């Protein structure tokens, strides 16, 4: 946080425009998730000693918690170049066959949103992961025959925000481990903000970084996003550093409250309370009444509202808790 790096100095420079600028490149910069890091370090060291690529790994958890970043770090640590794709991009068995046969020995294949792989592609994945072979069916009907291609040794790293939608046969083939990423505490998020500020050349004071951390929903991606918005606000207002006052003004413009709730979170909770008497109500019904995407509520809004105890998941649907009523000034 060097004070000579004034906001105006970064005006001319596009650093921080890309997500990758702030992505940790070393384990020492990857804050938190200690248990995952310990497990991975053993997995990677054991693989190195056996002179073999690490076994397949699945990361799951809400968006922005660092799954892709972990994939990059594992690939770098094990010296296995990373090839990146995603579940919806692999539409046909042929797409997967082409990806797998183009891998070189030791490559790491990263599949994001793995819960969106279709069934036929998934079935080809099983022997590829388990036995390192690709079964290709040629022809149809009685004359169909299967040929088997041996694949180079590779590591599959997959990520998902919806682990319940990953079938159990697929899940069980992640022999290196299935890891759940947790939300970060405020102190960890503040460390991430301080590091990002240094990279972006933003001079930020302690109170300001604390306040951003408080409102980041325990999520590094949100923390970096909010830091950049506060930087924009400071730059446009010709401030030379980020202080608490400027940060609070930015949050009020962004309509983000002191717990980090966005306007959309408050709309969801208010609708649940006003229209559905606090629930229980299914996410589908809630989404329809808000003209919002089901998946946005389920994957983006809901995890944090559950985490801070504003929402409860019951077999009959979602319920707003007393804490939510209190925060939004509703009478129970
Ligand atoms: P996901 O794949 O879970 O959606 P990403 O790995 O893309 O999340 O993380 C989003 C951004 O948040 C990264 O580019 C990085 O800048 C930051 N980030 C995530 N996890 C960490 C961490 N543990 N320490 C520091 N920065 C992190």
């Amino acid at each position: 946080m060097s004070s000579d790096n004034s906001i105006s100095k970064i005006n001319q420079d596009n650093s921080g425009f890309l997500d990758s600028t702030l992505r940790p490149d070393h384990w020492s910069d990857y804050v938190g998730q200690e248990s995952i890091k310990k497990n991975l370090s053993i997995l990677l060291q054991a693989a190195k000693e056996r002179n073999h690529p690490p076994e397949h790994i699945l990361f799951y958890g809400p968006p922005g918690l660092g799954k892709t970043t972990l994939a990059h770090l594992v690939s770098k640590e094990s010296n296995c170049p990373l090839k990146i794709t995603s579940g919806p991009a692999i539409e046909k068995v042929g797409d997967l066959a082409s990806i797998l046969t183009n891998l070189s020995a030791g490559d790491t294949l990263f599949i994001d949103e793995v819960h969106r792989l279709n069934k036929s592609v998934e079935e080809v994945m099983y022997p590829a992961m388990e036995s390192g072979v690709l079964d290709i069916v040629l022809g149809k009907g009685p004359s169909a025959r299967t040929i088997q291609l041996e694949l180079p040794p590779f590591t599959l790293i997959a990520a998902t925000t919806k682990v319940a939608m990953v079938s159990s046969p697929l899940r069980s083939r992640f022999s290196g481990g299935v890891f759940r990423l947790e939300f970060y505490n405020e102190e960890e998020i503040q460390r991430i903000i301080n590091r990002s500020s240094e990279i972006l050349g933003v001079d930020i004071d302690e109170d300001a970084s604390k306040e951003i951390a408080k409102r980041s929903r325990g999520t590094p991606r949100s923390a970096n996003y909010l830091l950049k918005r506060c930087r924009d606000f400071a730059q446009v207002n010709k401030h030379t550093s980020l202080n608490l006052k400027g940060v609070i003004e930015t949050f009020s413009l962004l309509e983000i409250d002191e717990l980090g709730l966005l306007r959309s979170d408050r709309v969801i909770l208010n609708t649940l309370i006003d229209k559905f008497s606090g629930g229980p109500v299914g996410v589908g019904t809630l989404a329809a009444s808000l003209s919002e995407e089901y998946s946005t509520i389920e994957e983006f809004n809901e995890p944090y509202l559950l985490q801070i105890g504003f929402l409860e998941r019951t077999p009959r649907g979602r319920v707003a808790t007393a804490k939510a009523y209190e925060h939004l000034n509703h009478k129970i």
Side-chain angles (χ1 to χ4, degrees), residues 107-247:
D107 276 354
T108 304
L109 175 63
F110 177 61
I111 305 185
D112 202 5
E113 296 190 72
V114 74
H115 61 274
R116 292 179 63 188
L117 275 184
N118 71 48
K119 196 88 208 106
S120 51
V121 170
E122 213 185 284
E123 273 163 17
V124 175
M125 207 71 210
Y126 301 155
M129 291 172 75
E130 218 164 31
S131 323
V133 293
L134 182 65
D135 289 328
I136 301 176
V137 182
L138 296 175
K140 279 189 177 153
S143 62
R145 62 197 175 90
T146 307
I147 57 165
Q148 202 168 66
L149 291 181
E150 197 154 317
L151 295 167
F154 72 101
T155 301
L156 174 67
I157 303 184
T160 179
T161 48
K162 293 177 124 187
V163 75
M165 281 180 66
V166 179
S167 71
S168 55
L170 181 58
R171 234 186 295 174
S172 66
R173 282 165 171 91
F174 288 96
S175 48
V178 175
F179 299 105
R180 173 196 152 117
L181 279 87
E182 305 290 345
F183 282 107
Y184 295 68
N185 64 34
E186 262 172 47
E187 184 267 325
E188 290 169 337
I189 292 286
Q190 204 184 346
R191 268 158 60 203
I192 293 173
I193 292 168
N194 289 342
R195 170 180 173 273
S196 298
S197 308
E198 277 196 51
I199 295 172
L200 297 174
V202 174
D203 190 14
I204 183 168
D205 68 31
E206 171 83 9
D207 289 347
S209 69
K210 234 187 204 152
E211 193 60 33
I212 300 178
K214 248 173 68 187
R215 304 195 192 207
S216 296
R217 312 164 71 83
T219 306
R221 182 179 290 135
S222 304
N224 287 338
Y225 167 79
L226 295 179
L227 173 66
K228 288 185 200 170
R229 298 297 71 78
C230 291
R231 169 182 81 159
D232 290 350
F233 181 87
Q235 178 187 313
V236 169
N237 286 288
K238 312 277 181 270
H239 301 160
T240 51
S241 64
L242 291 192
N243 58 26
L244 184 60
K245 186 167 171 285
V247 161

Side-chain angles (χ1 to χ4, degrees), residues 19-20 22-24 29-33 61-70 110 112 181 184 192 195 220-221 224:
D19 211 25
S20 55
L22 301 179
R23 177 162 279 151
D29 289 331
Y30 191 92
V31 173
Q33 311 292 351
L65 291 193
K67 301 181 287 299
T68 309
T69 308
L70 280 176
F110 177 61
D112 202 5
L181 279 87
Y184 295 68
I192 293 173
R195 170 180 173 273
R221 182 179 290 135
N224 287 338

